[in-house]
């Protein structure tokens, strides 16, 4: 079971470890970002997670920045746990898919790790949800992964007092929705947990926390359209109209929904322990207040 981490402590430690020149190019995403944003309702016990996902942006400068960050952290005692499947490699001929990703544990700590992600390569993600590029460092070659819709996290990231930014909950939610237009069969590691159930369940968890924080979800459709215009200008209407498809499937497929509830309660909502009824109610409101409004706005757009 992942440990409970206090977002402020981890953000401070990560910031202190990073090269000062790279801090402004880091966006923390995932549980830690949500934990910091919703600190008013998650203050008791922190966030249950083991990974601190850091996306380096913009894409044009990723390789230089990622090289500097990786070398700086390893030089200061952070460890990469290489495996037999993905061993350390100094051979430039090693295929990218056989290289380890940059996943580093702080010195003297195995409770959590920092993982570096690539700002999405627009060209490489045209026909794929994922891009992978080779990173050359003095500690060997690594693979940098980027996911198509995570580029949305670059829209209006939230600056923290630690000189690094976090992704906003609305952009993380939209990225997850677009990444899963249906329930997929991919599972997480050696578990039977479906990746789509985790990510779509995270959307419901974020919506639940927005409600607890008394923040208005009805602002999201307009913000989403603006973000899509910036990142996917040729697909705005199409993406907006299908954004809720996967979530709708989740709410109507009982086994998948139950698994999503469990994952939420084991993770971001660990200290709230929401019932399936509560999360289904959140989902119903979300479909009406956010997804239906988004579709209505999208239908007014002119098709190019």
């Amino acid at each position: 079971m992942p440990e409970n981490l206090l977002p402020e402590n981890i953000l401070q430690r990560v910031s202190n470890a990073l090269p000062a020149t790279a801090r402004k190019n880091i966006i923390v995403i995932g549980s830690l970002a949500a934990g910091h944003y919703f600190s008013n309702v998650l203050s008791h016990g922190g966030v249950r997670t083991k990974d601190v996902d850091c996306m380096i942006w913009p894409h044009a400068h990723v390789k230089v920045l990622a090289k500097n960050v990786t070398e700086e952290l390893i030089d200061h005692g952070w460890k990469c746990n290489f495996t037999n499947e993905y061993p350390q490699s100094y051979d430039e001929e090693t295929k990218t898919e056989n290289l380890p990703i940059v996943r580093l544990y702080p010195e003297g700590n195995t409770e959590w790790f920092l993982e570096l992600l690539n700002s999405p390569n627009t060209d490489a993600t045209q026909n794929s949800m994922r891009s992978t590029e080779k990173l050359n460092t003095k500690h060997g070659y690594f693979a940098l992964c980027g996911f198509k819709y995570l580029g949305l996290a670059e829209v209006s990231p939230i600056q923290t007092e630690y000189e690094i930014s976090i992704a906003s909950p609305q952009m993380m939610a939209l990225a997850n929705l677009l990444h899963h237009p249906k329930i997929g069969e991919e599972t997480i590691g050696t578990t039977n947990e479906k990746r789509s159930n985790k990510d779509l369940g995270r959307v419901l968890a974020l919506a639940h926390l927005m409600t607890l924080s008394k923040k208005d979800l009805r602002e999201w459709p307009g913000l989403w359209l603006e973000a899509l215009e910036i990142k996917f200008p040729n697909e705005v209407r199409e993406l907006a109209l299908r954004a809720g498809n996967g979530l709708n499937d989740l709410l109507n497929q009982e086994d998948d929904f139950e698994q999503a509830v469990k994952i939420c309660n084991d993770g971001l909502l660990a200290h709230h322990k929401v019932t399936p009824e509560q999360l289904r109610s959140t989902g119903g409101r979300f479909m009406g207040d956010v997804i239906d409004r988004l579709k209505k706005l999208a239908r007014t757009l002119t098709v190019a």
Side-chain angles (χ1 to χ4, degrees), residues 17-33:
L18 291 171
T21 53
R23 291 173 189 154
K24 69 180 186 303
N25 298 101
I26 294 288
I27 302 175
V28 177
I29 61 176
S31 296
L32 199 72

Side-chain angles (χ1 to χ4, degrees), residues 5-21:
L5 305 179
L6 293 175
E8 287 65 35
N9 292 351
I10 304 303
L11 288 172
Q12 180 72 76
R13 183 163 186 179
V14 170
S15 178
N16 289 344
L18 291 171
T21 53

